[in-house]
Amino acid sequence: MANLGCGCPGSMARVIEREETSATETTVKPRSELRQWPVQLHLVPPSAPYFRNADILISADCVAFALGSFHQDLLKDKALAIACPKLDESGTYVEKLATIFRDNDVKSITVAIMEVPCCRGLDLMVQQALAKSGRDIPVETLIIGIDGERRN
């Protein structure tokens, strides 16, 4: 069998087995809770009005795909910024996040990451940015398993 990963456990190919859902379980389409555009951390302007006096969700890109209830459980009533600490050029993210935290009277920060080791980098960036901002903002970190289950 060929090695499909690059040495990182998060890159290992896996199949997630699920029980089949019935048609009645999937007929109701939940509405989107997205309140702004853009969402990529690289693209969001730090002075965007949706960050003012907001609860902010900073999510790893993969979380929304792994967690089926992402919109209802995590995104509802929050401003959003998404990033991938492994694939993005993240050198400017700490400064950008610090500016968002410092200049917008942010009420709270939720960091949603996957259980894979490389995702921890996003949580570390947020912690560094918060320290750099000089603000005391409550932070909650949520870890999502590749199976879509919360790990904490």
Side-chain angles (χ1 to χ4, degrees):
M1 178 181 220
N3 181 1
L4 299 177
C6 63
C8 172
S11 298
M12 185 174 72
R14 303 178 204 185
V15 173
I16 300 169
E17 300 290 336
R18 302 216 185 270
E19 289 184 26
E20 196 169 317
T21 57
S22 70
T24 56
E25 291 179 82
T26 59
T27 55
V28 176
K29 293 182 182 179
R31 72 181 198 128
S32 173
E33 296 294 341
L34 186 63
R35 304 175 344 153
Q36 101 253 353
W37 193 260
V39 297
Q40 284 284 344
L41 183 54
H42 184 75
L43 300 174
V44 296
S47 61
Y50 44 81
F51 287 132
R52 280 188 225 125
N53 199 32
D55 296 301
I56 297 178
L57 171 61
I58 301 170
S59 178
D61 294 349
C62 296
V63 170
F65 296 98
L67 183 64
S69 58
F70 177 82
H71 282 253
Q72 290 69 37
D73 291 352
L74 298 186
L75 182 56
K76 187 174 176 53
D77 299 324
K78 292 183 176 74
L80 175 66
I82 65 171
C84 177
K86 183 172 184 169
L87 300 178
D88 290 353
E89 188 63 42
S90 57
T92 59
Y93 284 174
V94 170
E95 189 57 47
K96 186 173 216 177
L97 287 168
T99 301
I100 291 169
F101 301 158
R102 183 177 49 248
D103 296 348
N104 289 288
D105 293 321
V106 172
K107 295 190 294 188
S108 71
I109 303 163
T110 302
V111 182
I113 60 175
M114 297 298 296
E115 68 181 331
V116 296
C118 52
C119 236
R120 264 297 167 201
L122 187 59
D123 191 36
L124 293 173
M125 281 188 273
V126 170
Q127 295 298 333
Q128 291 170 352
L130 188 56
K132 194 171 204 165
S133 76
R135 296 292 182 134
D136 184 21
I137 303 169
V139 177
E140 178 183 19
T141 299
L142 306 174
I143 301 171
I144 307 301
I146 61 164
D147 60 359
E149 298 294 321
R150 278 184 64 171
R151 296 291 186 245
N152 59 345

